[in-house]
Amino acid sequence: MYRLSSLILLLLGCFPLLAQSPHGDDLDMDCVKCHHPGGWYINYQTIQFDHSKTDFQLEGTHANVDCKLCHSTMVFDQAPMDCASCHADIHSQSVGNDCVRCHTSETWLVDIIPELHEANGFPLIGVHSNLSCIECHNTDSSNLRIDPLGNECINCHQDDYAATQNPNHQQAGFSTDCVECHNPLGFGWDSESINHDFFPLTEGHDIQDCAQCHTTGNYSDASPECVTCHQEDYTGTMDPNHATSGFSTDCVACHTTSPGWMPAIINHDFFPLTQGHNIQDCTECHTTDNYSDASPECVACHQTDYDQTNNPNHLAANFPTDCVACHTTNPGWTPAEFDHDQYFPIYTGKHRQGETWNDCVECHANPSNYADFTCFTCHLQPEMDDKHSEENGYEYLSSACLECHPDGD
């Protein structure tokens, strides 16, 4: 018996030299590290093969599995390492074949469902955190088939959307993206977060009863025009009467959304209300009930001012009635600047102010009529007669001077 045992050991020791290993050429280790000298059986308590040095570590329940369940052939490296090769897909390919996405080697129970949903772009928050999987995922009779869903609200809530009545979302043309109005962190369909930025609900428009503006039941056909809601307000105005005054029906041209329509700021840029024109009583200029027919001509408001001038008398002097030719909107009509050079140059050339004259009366001897002028204050006879002795038709008249010397030369 002793000789037989020695022969077996000798044969086992020489086996690698005499025969090819049934485990494949890549397994390079001494047989006795796994097999008992008394036969080819394996003592799992004394086995010396370290599976952790392979590409598939034996963790969890894999550490207690019979080798043959995974290694169906004697060539160990032919054993597949993907989950589906050993584990039947009870989900019917509805979630893929990579078991480790959801399961661990310890148990088949899944305890990272919230993390999985968040990674897929649909976090389970609010009322979604209390739902059973089968309430969202179409499953088979075993509840093991989990078909994926889209991340859009309408993928689950089409029936809810279609069944709405107050208001009817479908008829009103509401968005099917529920989170635009409903809070996903909440536990019901109550909404306090309607995004109404396309028509801001500020101050006077910050109302709670949607039906005050949405009168038809169709929430998509409400007009953004002011007069749609405020026609009665417009026609009922008295101070001033907007309808008879021809005011615009676009309320925002003058009003904000402040309650009571105040303050009102009219954009009067077409006729700037600066300095003396910065008045608070509109009726000082708008003397009729029609605010659209007020004339922008100065004399329309200032005819009396024009007629009563004395220094100089504008009417007698035949001054233009276009006040801005000389005046700004400064109160008191001063300073006034008259562009005399457009008629006769007195600020440039030989007749320049300060060199030949200082007061208007030096040329305009008649202060009641600035249309009259004289050249003879400076240009006297007989000097002028002598200088024009060779001019045919010469007359000693101021109008003749201007006719021949319009630029003062």
Side-chain angles (χ1 to χ4, degrees), residues 215 298 300 327 337:
T215 57
C298 302
H327 302 277
E337 295 182 357

Side-chain angles (χ1 to χ4, degrees), residues 114-133:
E115 291 82 357
L116 290 172
H117 281 76
E118 188 168 352
N120 287 328
F122 193 91
L124 297 179
I125 55 179
V127 69
H128 293 136
S129 62
N130 296 330
L131 297 178
S132 170
C133 303

Side-chain angles (χ1 to χ4, degrees), residues 47-115:
I47 190 171
Q48 301 180 38
F49 181 75
D50 188 359
H51 213 288
S52 65
K53 294 182 179 180
T54 68
D55 295 333
F56 192 94
Q57 297 187 24
L58 298 181
E59 299 174 338
T61 56
H62 286 149
N64 300 322
V65 174
D66 188 346
C67 304
K68 293 180 180 180
L69 292 180
C70 297
H71 297 282
S72 59
T73 70
M74 297 292 287
V75 180
F76 295 151
D77 59 7
Q78 290 180 350
M81 290 187 291
D82 59 294
C83 305
S85 296
C86 291
H87 301 289
D89 185 3
I90 59 175
H91 300 304
S92 303
Q93 297 184 345
S94 59
V95 292
N97 56 12
D98 188 9
C99 304
V100 295
R101 288 181 59 241
C102 304
H103 304 282
T104 68
S105 58
E106 298 291 340
T107 177
W108 288 109
L109 298 178
V110 180
D111 57 4
I112 57 169
I113 291 178
E115 291 82 357

Side-chain angles (χ1 to χ4, degrees), residues 8 40 51 53 77 95 104 162 201 206 213 235 268 286 384:
I8 292 174
W40 288 111
H51 213 288
K53 294 182 179 180
D77 59 7
V95 292
T104 68
L201 300 180
D206 187 17
C213 297
T235 55
H268 219 283
H286 299 278
M384 293 297 101

Side-chain angles (χ1 to χ4, degrees), residues 86 104 109 187 209 221 227 240 256 275 278:
C86 291
T104 68
L109 298 178
F187 290 86
D209 183 7
D221 66 359
V227 74
T256 66
Q275 301 181 101
N278 188 20

